[in-house]
Amino acid sequence: MSTITAVKTYDFRFPTSLTLSGSDAMNKDPDYSAAYVEIHTSADDGITGCGLVFTIGRGNDVVCRAIDSIGETLRGLEVERLLDSMGLAWDLLVHDSQLRWLGPEKGVEHMAIGALLSALWDMKAKRARKPLWLLLAEMDPEDLVSTLDFRYLSDALRPEEAIDILKDGQSGKQERIEDIRQHGYPGYSTAPGWLGYSDEKMVEIAKRETQEKGFKQIKLKVGQNLDDDIRRLGLARDAIGPDVRLAVDANQVWDVPQAIDWINHFHDFDLAWVEEPTSPDDIIGHATIARAINPIPVATGEQMQNRIMFKQFLQANAFGIMQIDATRVAGPQEIVLEYLLARKFHKIVCPHAGGVGLCEMVCHFAMFDYAAVSCTTQGRMIEYVDNQHEYFVNPVHISQGMYQAPTAPGNGAEMTVETAQRYLHQE
Amino acid sequence: MSTITAVKTYDFRFPTSLTLSGSDAMNKDPDYSAAYVEIHTSADDGITGCGLVFTIGRGNDVVCRAIDSIGETLRGLEVERLLDSMGLAWDLLVHDSQLRWLGPEKGVEHMAIGALLSALWDMKAKRARKPLWLLLAEMDPEDLVSTLDFRYLSDALRPEEAIDILKDGQSGKQERIEDIRQHGYPGYSTAPGWLGYSDEKMVEIAKRETQEKGFKQIKLKVGQNLDDDIRRLGLARDAIGPDVRLAVDANQVWDVPQAIDWINHFHDFDLAWVEEPTSPDDIIGHATIARAINPIPVATGEQMQNRIMFKQFLQANAFGIMQIDATRVAGPQEIVLEYLLARKFHKIVCPHAGGVGLCEMVCHFAMFDYAAVSCTTQGRMIEYVDNQHEYFVNPVHISQGMYQAPTAPGNGAEMTVETAQRYLHQE
């Protein structure tokens, strides 16, 4: 038996605004940041549970404070009891009756809870000596479902249905796990797309990413100026040819009527999707846009606050591509629920990544999904941007546009605190 | 010209969990709290701008930290420039491109921004020597609308429509202002309803609130046990008679199918509304419930994160009674937008109150609405609970169930820090 002895946070901020990498129509000058947390225990196994919340600068201190404050609840608790019953850990944090007022289940508090639950799953995976994707894929369906919270979901997905989905996923699972180990999982590149880049730089990177690096899709940021968008899309389509997929991302810049007008100028570019056309809270607005811009699919989800919003986007058929994020919701359990919801409603999930640690973390869920939930990679791919990977103990490895399967135990979030030290934010 | 010299926060926590006042199906043991903020300036007028976020205990420190962190943006700015152009102040805080990632526009950060904008409006009202309700009611329609942010609303409410609504409200405004000054605004009482109270205590308080204090509506908490609910509703209806309105509040305890089953046992009690049947994020769920329990109206809104959610609840006809809160969204400007949306969609607003400072603050918006927006009090009333009023410089005054019009300059949020001092939370 061991207990939790400390919950330690780090406010890392990388000065990415200096290069305009990461710039889009809403985020002019992000400083990619991580509110990073380590959970330490009294066990003699050298294992630290690691988690993080990705932010883009200011307010990262507030997330650290929220993690510290919620982490107090964990201090002194028996580790084994929590790791054996992650549903209990979820209830303890997500359903804290006083903390819930600050959401419920959204924003800073929910992301902070996500970092802590993620760190507990990291510890669970490390103790089992498995990468998280494999731990999840190999869990017994009933055991995995017992950790999930179906509150507010029963009109869309019941535990029995979730168990049935996972039981269906048992067939051929071992072959898919082998496939992941051998070939990895498809990625796509956002590297060419930042709004701060010149046309020449964009074209050059678009060619490099597709012709040299082997990505089968790229994505451009749009929404600042329509003429610029149309010119850049033409240049990009010429650069990559007709067989590589091209997606665009507006980062929530439009109102609903404006989104429809603007996107309807994009029909000539054979777009894979239009991402975040408007507020991530606007289910009805997205449904309206999706109908109006058909056949271009709508994609959204990286800032979707919780499973209750995903449920409604699915019920309202408000998107074609569902995007999930590794650090927006309350950790692995809520992300597994998102994948189960997507499977129930027959939607394609293409995870958001690119921020600090997001590539490292989110690929575990995509691989788990392929092994045990949707059982396919058809039309599915994980975003990739080459940012801050050097600060991770086990950075993702991409080969010919494919995310290679993580083999190290854990969830991918562990940072090399020593090398990142100089980016520790000082008050 | 003067500048902002300091933004000072206080973490006040009142140990209300000791008495079970405030207990409901989701909030077993709240400690009513306030993340209280004062904005100080270099002006020689003795005026402090005051605002707060109401919470129920744990996490109040995180809200204070968010206010401190965002407040840094305001330090050194010219006060007059902000107060003359509150739209600028909104943009500065709500549209900070890095902070927005932590929401956008929801949870801890949005509430913290609300406290700061509220404090600026408090200062603006104090400088004009008017209570906030009167300042808002007397503002020129174009001036008021110029402070509002219609982003993500243009499919439901455009600035021109808002101006038209306010122009319509000019007719008879002076008479309504006089009516408010003379008679006040209707309130209702939640005092009898806490789940921690015995049947006897509930009945005794129900009689006192209606027969002695003159409230025309009471509200009971429900959702823990169906038999208890039915028994308590019967006792309450007997105690208050057929002419007093009776509402119930489930505080988000049910899933959608369960809500429908449960509420359909309530048809005999002539309920004014059922409040918060499920997650405040579930627009589609509320719409389903509203159709299924007709003619009992659904009410919700006290935890609705922003105007984009209110917009959709209105578009989907997902509630009959719209409830707003004084400290959940980004201050007076967003609350004015909520009232304008309600007017456009012909919905009744009955504000949430009862927590620390909520009665003091929210009555300003209801009175502004009566004077200048909906121009009626028909079916409208403000929640009232007798909690922590003694810690406010200008506590609300209720007479025969009516909120009396505040006459002191400001927004009602100013606390008597000296008397509350002993409830300052120590780390």
Side-chain angles (χ1 to χ4, degrees), chain A residues 252 276 278-282 286 300 303-304 309 313, chain B residues 104 106:
Chain A
Q252 314 171 17
E276 292 205 305
T278 191
S279 164
D281 301 343
D282 199 345
H286 276 87
T300 192
Q303 292 192 22
M304 210 170 289
M309 297 301 282
F313 270 81
Chain B
K106 58 181 66 77

Side-chain angles (χ1 to χ4, degrees), chain A residues 365-385:
Chain A
F365 302 102
M367 291 175 188
F368 154 70
D369 172 68
Y370 173 41
V373 183
S374 75
C375 305
T376 174
T377 57
Q378 190 66 46
R380 289 151 171 87
M381 53 194 80
I382 308 165
E383 187 168 19
Y384 180 75
V385 188

Side-chain angles (χ1 to χ4, degrees), chain A residues 97, chain B residues 17 20-30 56 195 224 253:
Chain A
S97 68
Chain B
S17 58
L20 294 186
S21 152
S23 57
D24 61 50
M26 290 297 262
N27 308 299
K28 313 285 183 211
D29 54 355
I56 58 173
L195 279 186
Q224 207 166 59
V253 78

Side-chain angles (χ1 to χ4, degrees), chain B residues 15 41 47 56-57 93 259 269 287 291 345-346 385:
Chain B
T41 77
I47 289 175
I56 58 173
L93 302 183
F269 303 107
R291 280 193 302 274
F345 285 84
H346 307 290
V385 188

Side-chain angles (χ1 to χ4, degrees), chain B residues 72-97:
Chain B
E72 281 301 305
T73 311
L74 297 178
R75 205 129 57 112
L77 296 186
E78 187 193 322
V79 182
E80 291 73 21
R81 182 140 176 269
L82 287 176
L83 299 188
D84 289 348
S85 170
M86 286 299 299
L88 192 78
W90 168 282
D91 287 346
L92 196 66
L93 302 183
V94 176
H95 296 317
D96 179 294
S97 68

Side-chain angles (χ1 to χ4, degrees), chain A residues 35 37 50-53 67 110-120 329 331:
Chain A
V37 59
C50 303
L52 63 83
V53 175
I67 297 172
H110 203 54
M111 292 192 275
I113 288 169
L116 287 163
L117 287 173
S118 190
L120 287 173
V329 299

Side-chain angles (χ1 to χ4, degrees), chain A residues 100-133:
Chain A
R100 180 163 207 290
W101 187 267
L102 303 179
E105 301 189 38
K106 59 181 65 78
V108 165
E109 288 285 323
H110 203 54
M111 292 192 275
I113 288 169
L116 287 163
L117 287 173
S118 190
L120 287 173
W121 278 95
D122 183 53
M123 190 177 285
K124 187 176 166 89
K126 284 171 174 169
R127 285 188 172 198
R129 297 171 192 276
K130 291 180 189 171
L132 181 61
W133 69 271

Side-chain angles (χ1 to χ4, degrees), chain B residues 168-299:
Chain B
D168 286 349
Q170 299 298 303
S171 147
K173 189 172 76 176
Q174 206 49 49
E175 290 75 17
R176 289 189 297 277
I177 289 175
E178 282 314 310
D179 183 36
I180 294 167
R181 283 180 167 142
Q182 278 188 32
H183 304 105
Y185 193 100
Y188 74 89
S189 170
T190 306
W194 308 113
L195 279 186
Y197 287 177
S198 69
D199 289 356
E200 294 68 30
K201 186 164 181 180
M202 181 272 286
V203 165
E204 183 196 317
I205 302 177
K207 286 184 176 165
R208 184 192 71 202
E209 296 294 296
T210 54
Q211 292 162 13
E212 290 171 35
K213 298 201 175 169
F215 287 105
K216 302 284 188 291
Q217 177 178 314
I218 63 166
K219 191 168 75 185
L220 299 192
K221 300 292 183 174
V222 295
Q224 207 166 59
N225 177 292
L226 181 58
D227 291 337
D228 287 348
D229 287 350
I230 292 173
R231 187 187 70 252
R232 282 158 48 87
L233 284 172
L235 290 171
R237 182 45 87 196
D238 286 349
I240 62 177
D243 297 333
V244 174
R245 288 164 43 127
L246 175 62
V248 298
D249 185 354
N251 293 87
Q252 313 170 17
V253 78
W254 300 308
D255 273 33
V256 174
Q258 192 191 11
I260 294 169
D261 285 351
W262 198 297
I263 299 166
N264 276 328
H265 287 93
F266 291 166
H267 283 286
D268 290 345
F269 303 107
D270 188 23
L271 295 183
W273 69 65
V274 174
E275 185 170 326
E276 292 206 304
T278 191
S279 164
D281 302 343
D282 199 345
I283 300 155
I284 295 175
H286 276 87
T288 305
I289 294 168
R291 280 193 302 274
I293 67 167
N294 185 53
I296 301 175
V298 167

